[in-house]
Amino acid sequence: MTSTTDSARGSGWSPERSAAGGHNPYLIAFVVSIATFMEVLDTTIANVSLRYIAGGLAVGLDESTYVITSYLVANAVVLSISGWLATVIGRKRFYMICVAVFAFASLLCGFAWNLEALVLFRILQGLGGGGMATSEQAILADSFPPEKRGQAFAIYGIAVVVAPVVGPTLGGWISDTYSWHWIFLINVPMGLLSLFLVGTLVSEPSGAEEERQRLLSRGLRVDYVGFALVAIGLGSLEFVMDEGQRNDWFGSNMIVGFALAAGFCLVALVFWELTREDPIIDIRLLGQRQFGACFLAMLGTGAIVIATTQILPQFLQTELGYTAMLAGLVLSPGGLVTMVMMPITGWLIGWVQPKYLIAAGSAIAALSMWHLTGITGDITYGYAAMSRIYLAIGLPLLFLPITTASYDGIPPHKTNQASALINVARNLGGSMGVALVQTVLAQRQQFHQTRLVEHVAPSDIAYQQTIDAMTRYFQAQGSSASEAASQAIAWVGQTLQKQVDLLAFADVFWTLAMIGAIMIPMALTLRSIDLKAPARGH
């Protein structure tokens, strides 16, 4: 037996325990990435289609946002408990149930007849989608020996990172060309393909089956209190972050109520789960130095990835007049760079400590956000696309090493729980990032509006000179003296508002740059791992 296999056995992994079941593990990585791409794509593809959905169902644009919120809330609730469910039901069985539910719910979404039905089907879709990522990452962790997991997660990571980039472009094209119904219907054939391949190629690891039998032998004890605390706590938190800016945050009694519910339930969850023998969420994992740091790093990564995917197209559409599809195309070059960087990063993980790769990725992400602070009202397509390319270089250096390092020191029977918590971090970080940038944008718009308006006064000499110059300009275009004066004042107002928006967006990118900078020292707190013989689970 080779030394590689020996070290793998030492870490709790062996070929007999592999989920690949005798098949090429890289084929398994590709198979589970199909459903990953489908599910992650669906989190962003609907964003650019909201106005089409609102028009098709005869509802307001604000009401149509519940199509997004309902999915995220359901996704977060199931994601947090999916590790426990995968252990109890069986990893492969649970995964196939999730794919089937997601595909069936997508079919129902495509034929939804009103908003209420669509929201209900999106909740069902979120319940199915939330359980996929946990099982997928655990399957990959069990299909590859520890020293090759970086390569496995590189293949998987292409789907996770590229799908949010492709989503807005694909969603805009489908909605413009065909109908919003098809953004959901395209999931059906992909879901059926995934079910067939998983059922044919993926095996249930012996270790996972042994853990399941151990739990069932003592009688299935469902932590109903823990489940309720998770569902109410995370569901309320997602609602607060998604709806807070639209409802004036804590100026709204509804937001205050949901925030209090989230705070109480999440604090109670910690104390409750620490006293359970079979907790629905293993909170103790967060207390481990390695896993806890990876959890926080994934929070920051999710915030940067999802927030920039949302705020950059918003800037291009509102300030530069880009169409939804053209704004999405700005993100596409970054997706191509990510696809190239993923296998390179997967190779690097075998030679460079994850903490140094994460620190480098954080620095690159921070610099890419700093690049965007130089935005003006006449930046080119190339300037915007290059900012995304810079970020795309750093993302694999974050996502893959964080995912790989998070399993260091985790015993095989806890990989389901670890995977669930890391995916919760990514989704929760994304929601926090979107809420943060929208809040910063609104508050900084108010701040810059107040400061710039101080100089727009009849007593200000510069203002007088500008009005006189623009009045003469409009008179030269054929306007009367009174019309030219009105046009000059309107022009100053429009210019002022544009400057306010540009300064506010620049502040948003500064905020995201600071998140990237904070992640650098956090990454360096991770312990070094033996790249050739990974640490034993403990």
Side-chain angles (χ1 to χ4, degrees):
M1 186 177 296
T2 65
S3 60
T4 297
T5 305
D6 289 337
S7 67
R9 288 185 185 279
S11 66
W13 183 92
S14 67
E16 293 78 13
R17 299 173 66 96
S18 173
H23 298 98
N24 189 318
Y26 291 97
L27 177 61
I28 302 302
F30 173 76
V31 167
V32 299
S33 296
I34 294 174
T36 301
F37 186 85
M38 175 179 69
E39 191 272 331
V40 178
L41 181 73
D42 212 75
T43 61
T44 58
I45 195 172
N47 290 349
V48 297
S49 304
L50 287 182
R51 62 189 182 96
Y52 293 97
I53 294 174
L57 299 179
V59 297
L61 189 58
D62 284 346
E63 292 178 282
S64 70
T65 58
Y66 287 106
V67 173
I68 306 298
T69 307
S70 58
Y71 180 89
L72 291 174
V73 170
N75 193 277
V77 171
V78 172
L79 188 57
S80 60
I81 63 170
S82 57
W84 180 84
L85 289 173
T87 301
V88 171
I89 298 174
R91 186 179 301 161
K92 176 180 175 180
R93 191 179 300 112
F94 175 66
Y95 180 60
M96 294 184 70
I97 290 172
C98 289
V99 175
V101 169
F102 186 88
F104 179 65
S106 297
L107 180 66
L108 294 176
C109 288
F111 291 105
W113 53 90
N114 57 34
L115 181 64
E116 290 76 14
L118 181 56
V119 170
L120 176 63
F121 298 149
R122 282 285 280 177
I123 291 174
L124 181 62
Q125 192 184 38
L127 294 176
M132 290 184 196
T134 300
S135 299
E136 289 161 350
Q137 291 187 10
I139 288 171
L140 288 177
D142 284 335
S143 297
F144 287 77
E147 67 274 10
K148 292 186 177 180
R149 284 176 183 166
Q151 300 171 22
F153 289 127
I155 299 172
Y156 176 80
I158 290 175
V160 173
V161 177
V162 173
V165 175
V166 175
T169 304
L170 183 60
W173 179 77
I174 290 174
S175 299
D176 288 340
T177 309
Y178 299 102
S179 166
W180 64 266
H181 300 82
W182 284 99
I183 67 175
F184 302 114
L185 295 176
I186 60 173
N187 291 327
V188 177
M190 292 180 66
L192 294 176
L193 176 62
S194 177
L195 282 174
F196 171 75
L197 293 176
V198 170
T200 304
L201 301 175
V202 178
S203 300
E204 187 74 31
S206 58
E209 186 60 28
E210 290 167 6
E211 176 66 11
R212 176 173 177 267
Q213 294 300 330
R214 184 186 68 81
L215 284 175
L216 295 180
S217 66
R218 296 182 298 175
L220 182 58
R221 292 175 290 182
V222 181
D223 184 7
Y224 293 107
V225 174
F227 176 78
L229 292 174
V230 169
I232 298 173
L234 280 183
S236 298
L237 182 61
E238 284 282 356
F239 183 86
V240 169
M241 290 188 294
D242 292 330
E243 298 295 321
Q245 184 56 40
R246 299 188 187 98
N247 292 278
D248 193 28
W249 289 105
F250 298 110
S252 165
N253 291 331
M254 178 177 63
I255 296 298
V256 170
F258 275 100
L260 290 175
F264 173 79
C265 289
L266 293 178
V267 171
L269 175 69
V270 174
F271 292 100
W272 176 264
E273 295 297 88
L274 288 176
T275 63
R276 301 299 98 188
E277 185 178 349
D278 292 311
I280 203 165
I281 296 179
D282 195 347
I283 298 294
R284 292 179 179 85
L285 289 175
L286 296 176
Q288 297 181 15
R289 168 187 164 187
Q290 187 82 348
F291 188 85
C294 288
F295 184 89
L296 292 176
M298 188 60 84
L299 274 177
T301 301
I304 293 174
V305 173
I306 303 300
T308 52
T309 302
Q310 190 266 345
I311 199 68
L312 184 57
Q314 179 181 335
F315 165 74
L316 296 172
Q317 291 179 71
T318 58
E319 302 304 317
L320 303 184
Y322 281 37
T323 63
M325 183 174 177
L326 185 58
L329 286 173
V330 169
L331 308 181
S332 299
L336 296 176
V337 172
T338 298
M339 292 181 66
V340 174
M341 283 295 299
M342 280 293 184
I344 295 175
T345 305
W347 176 81
L348 284 173
I349 289 176
W351 298 93
V352 183
Q353 287 294 334
K355 64 180 181 180
Y356 299 128
L357 294 177
I358 297 170
S362 300
I364 294 172
L367 289 172
S368 70
M369 294 298 98
W370 173 78
H371 172 76
L372 280 170
T373 61
I375 54 175
T376 63
D378 57 356
I379 63 169
T380 63
Y381 171 91
Y383 185 95
M386 282 304 299
S387 68
R388 192 68 187 191
I389 289 173
Y390 298 148
L391 180 61
I393 295 173
L395 286 182
L397 297 173
L398 288 169
F399 177 78
L400 297 186
I402 290 172
T403 306
T404 303
S406 66
Y407 287 98
D408 178 53
I410 302 297
H413 67 276
K414 289 190 176 183
T415 54
N416 284 341
Q417 288 277 9
S419 179
L421 286 171
I422 283 296
N423 281 280
V424 166
R426 190 190 71 217
N427 282 24
L428 195 59
S431 295
M432 288 180 173
V434 170
L436 175 66
V437 297
Q438 292 300 328
T439 301
V440 170
L441 180 64
Q443 292 182 351
R444 298 304 291 178
Q445 281 176 327
Q446 295 174 0
F447 171 80
H448 292 301
Q449 177 84 22
T450 302
R451 295 303 303 269
L452 292 182
V453 165
E454 294 174 357
H455 301 282
V456 181
S459 58
D460 189 276
I461 296 177
Y463 175 73
Q464 294 174 6
Q465 293 174 341
T466 301
I467 291 294
D468 289 341
M470 295 310 300
T471 298
R472 290 194 298 271
Y473 170 80
F474 286 117
Q475 282 182 313
Q477 302 301 311
S479 299
S480 64
S482 60
E483 289 175 341
S486 299
Q487 289 172 326
I489 294 174
W491 179 88
V492 169
Q494 292 171 359
T495 303
L496 177 88
Q497 187 59 53
K498 190 172 187 64
Q499 291 302 312
V500 165
D501 293 342
L502 287 172
L503 290 170
F505 274 107
D507 290 341
V508 166
F509 294 123
W510 268 116
T511 303
L512 294 175
M514 291 177 63
I515 293 176
I518 291 172
M519 288 169 59
I520 298 174
M522 184 190 304
L524 297 177
T525 65
L526 291 171
R527 65 169 177 261
S528 298
I529 64 176
D530 188 339
L531 299 176
K532 298 303 180 183
R536 295 174 182 268
H538 58 272

